[in-house]
Amino acid sequence: MELPKNVFKEALRRGKPQIGLWVGLADAYVAELLATTGFDCLVIDAEHAPNDPRSVLPQLQAIAAYPVHPIVRPVRGSVELIKQYLDIGAQTLIIPMVETAEQARRMVAATRYPPRGVRGVGSALARSSRWNQIDDYVKRSDDEICVLVQAESVNALANLDGIAEVEGVDGIFFGPADLAASMGLLGNPGDPAVRAAIAKGIAAVRRAGKAAGTLTSDRKLAREYLNLGATFVAVGVDTTILVKAAKELAAEFTGAARGGGANDAAY
């Protein structure tokens, strides 16, 4: 069997923008539905959505038949969790709350087999190796792993140059909601100060020769970040899209919208 090519990683290398959707409904049927809609990548969220390796696995399986790249975000930067997500077949990970170059090096090491890293060798049990049916998987897999780390605090921005220089970090994702909170602007990820910080961060990451990305459902702002050189941008969240469409439909027929507005604050 052939080792699956990480088309997302290759696109980042070539500087080709990748447009994504955040997936938080934690259901394989939803993931497959979204896989048919034309995005370059789908980010399966296990940080804020009710996901774990058991629920992420069927979503990866559902997406596999379609030309869209699955990305997994673990709940935390854990060597053990990273091992599990890689073994069930994730090739691209977004690691939350990385604040130092040392943390970034540890996250990269978690994705590499010894002697380059500390990933546990259990390929006979792993979907990623097709249960040891991919020739030389343990020797070749590193080349197809894509590591994205999240810079989402003032401290992370202060250490951004060092994080971006870490070998094996393919890109840095700016988390606007947590960054806003860290800047004293909780609930305001679109504040001009947050936008300026992300713009400055994108420039720094590009200077280091790495890919930069972020999430925003503000279409104008998404285009602004792409124009600044971001190469992976999630432009919506499945839960937000569903809530918005359902509220609009309900309001049309009942005459009254219910509840507050949705935003990116949880992401």
Side-chain angles (χ1 to χ4, degrees):
M1 290 187 179
E2 290 299 317
L3 177 65
K5 185 74 176 175
N6 190 327
V7 295
F8 177 85
K9 183 174 183 176
E10 180 59 28
L12 295 189
R13 283 177 180 159
R14 292 188 282 111
K16 180 181 178 183
Q18 298 294 283
I19 306 302
L21 183 74
W22 222 260
V23 180
L25 286 168
D27 184 87
Y29 201 70
V30 173
E32 183 172 10
L33 180 155
L34 295 172
T36 70
T37 59
F39 288 97
D40 297 307
C41 54
L42 298 176
V43 182
I44 303 171
D45 192 356
E47 182 183 11
H48 292 293
N51 271 314
D52 59 20
R54 270 289 188 178
S55 64
V56 169
L57 172 58
Q59 292 176 75
L60 292 174
Q61 292 169 324
I63 292 170
Y66 302 92
V68 57
H69 185 75
I71 300 171
V72 175
R73 179 167 75 167
V75 67
R76 63 186 181 279
S78 157
V79 172
E80 295 78 16
L81 275 177
I82 288 171
K83 173 172 57 179
Q84 288 188 303
Y85 284 119
L86 294 181
D87 281 353
I88 64 173
Q91 289 185 303
T92 301
L93 300 175
I94 295 183
I95 311 298
M97 291 292 180
V98 173
E99 302 209 328
T100 67
E102 181 54 38
Q103 276 184 282
R105 278 189 286 271
R106 182 164 175 75
M107 295 301 94
V108 172
T111 70
R112 269 60 171 172
Y113 288 116
R116 295 179 64 192
V118 297
R119 180 181 175 185
V121 183
S123 55
L125 299 172
R127 176 176 177 262
S128 58
S129 70
R130 299 305 184 262
W131 304 277
N132 270 350
Q133 295 179 89
I134 293 175
D135 291 340
D136 291 327
Y137 173 80
V138 295
K139 296 178 180 178
R140 299 163 54 209
S141 63
D142 291 359
D143 294 337
E144 303 303 332
I145 300 298
C146 182
V147 178
L148 310 173
V149 299
Q150 284 193 229
E152 44 189 341
S153 70
V154 171
N155 190 41
L157 293 186
N159 294 318
L160 188 59
D161 289 341
I163 295 170
E165 289 173 359
V166 172
E167 183 178 356
V169 168
D170 297 288
I172 296 179
F173 180 90
F174 296 96
D178 283 293
L179 179 57
S182 178
M183 295 172 67
L185 296 164
L186 179 64
N188 294 294
D191 187 274
V194 179
R195 293 165 63 171
I198 292 175
K200 185 178 179 181
I202 290 171
V205 172
R206 291 191 69 198
R207 284 195 301 271
K210 302 293 178 70
T214 191
L215 160 68
T216 178
S217 57
D218 181 325
R219 298 182 188 188
K220 181 179 178 181
L221 186 54
R223 291 188 178 93
E224 180 181 317
Y225 289 140
L226 286 164
N227 289 336
L228 287 169
T231 45
F232 58 103
V233 177
V235 295
V237 181
D238 61 351
T239 52
T240 304
I241 292 170
L242 181 59
V243 168
K244 183 176 184 293
K247 286 178 66 176
E248 288 176 352
L249 184 60
E252 180 178 345
F253 286 92
T254 65
R258 298 179 177 88
N263 58 40
D264 294 335
Y267 296 86

